[in-house]
Amino acid sequence: KVAGSNPAPATITRARFREGPGLRHVEVVPPTNRMEWPMRDVPPEVRATYLAAEVRIADGAALVDAAGSPLLRDGPVHVVTAWNPGALRPTEEQNRTADSQLRARIVQLGFQPHRAVGCDPASPHHEEGWAVVGMSDERACALGAEFGQDAVFRIDPGTLTVLACDGSWSDSRPL
């Protein structure tokens, strides 16, 4: 994060990865200025928390366990959030604004967003996001990086995979 400012995700036009001595960055270039999201080294305990997350996807008005989502009939489903980028903890209002901007970005890219929620089974913590069918791993990771995320989820029948947005790691478990 640069100079205590937050980029407005809706104005992001591109993101690209770059590396420096001991630190990976995603360079985010809005139309009017440059921002950088530092890509942190994700500690093993945080990766384990991501992998343990319970993901639910909207099916009509209900949220269903990702393993039972009808979206899986159409191929892998990626789940991306804009909540709590990296180590930052914005207010709920800021998270909801970023969430709306992420939804608009998904639509702008030509995909249909479906509400998703990731829950920590060991606490009341949850983060709202969007499930998308037909997106490549690379596009989903780049989208997550645009919104400052460490990782995104890929859900296949029987498997949940956590993909690092910078491409440096992935972890999987059975659903």
Side-chain angles (χ1 to χ4, degrees):
K1 190 169 172 211
V2 175
S5 61
N6 281 329
T11 64
I12 293 171
T13 57
R14 61 190 164 100
R16 64 177 176 256
F17 299 111
R18 73 180 177 95
E19 296 199 21
L23 186 63
R24 292 181 308 277
H25 284 79
V26 172
E27 185 176 11
V28 180
V29 186
T32 57
N33 65 342
R34 294 175 58 129
M35 301 295 296
E36 290 184 4
W37 288 103
M39 294 301 291
R40 67 181 180 151
D41 288 322
V42 180
E45 60 274 11
V46 173
R47 287 174 57 174
T49 300
Y50 292 159
L51 190 60
E54 295 175 355
V55 179
R56 296 183 181 105
I57 299 172
D59 182 12
L63 287 170
V64 299
D65 185 75
S69 174
L71 295 179
L72 290 173
R73 290 184 293 226
D74 298 324
V77 174
H78 288 88
V79 176
V80 183
T81 185
W83 283 52
N84 298 328
L88 301 178
R89 295 301 169 258
T91 66
E92 184 167 340
E93 180 181 343
Q94 291 168 322
N95 278 326
R96 291 202 182 284
T97 298
D99 180 68
S100 294
Q101 293 167 340
L102 172 59
R103 184 187 187 288
R105 181 74 171 117
I106 291 168
V107 170
Q108 178 186 35
L109 291 170
F111 296 96
Q112 174 65 45
H114 303 269
R115 174 55 75 201
V117 178
C119 304
D120 178 355
S123 79
H125 180 76
H126 72 280
E127 295 188 7
E128 296 177 11
W130 298 99
V132 182
V133 177
M135 191 175 275
S136 69
D137 289 352
E138 294 78 13
R139 177 67 256 175
C141 288
L143 183 60
E146 283 184 35
F147 286 83
Q149 298 300 307
D150 290 333
V152 300
F153 294 106
R154 182 184 67 223
I155 301 161
D156 297 286
T159 306
L160 179 139
T161 302
V162 183
L163 302 167
C165 288
D166 69 0
S168 65
W169 55 269
S170 68
D171 296 315
S172 295
R173 69 166 170 85
L175 282 175

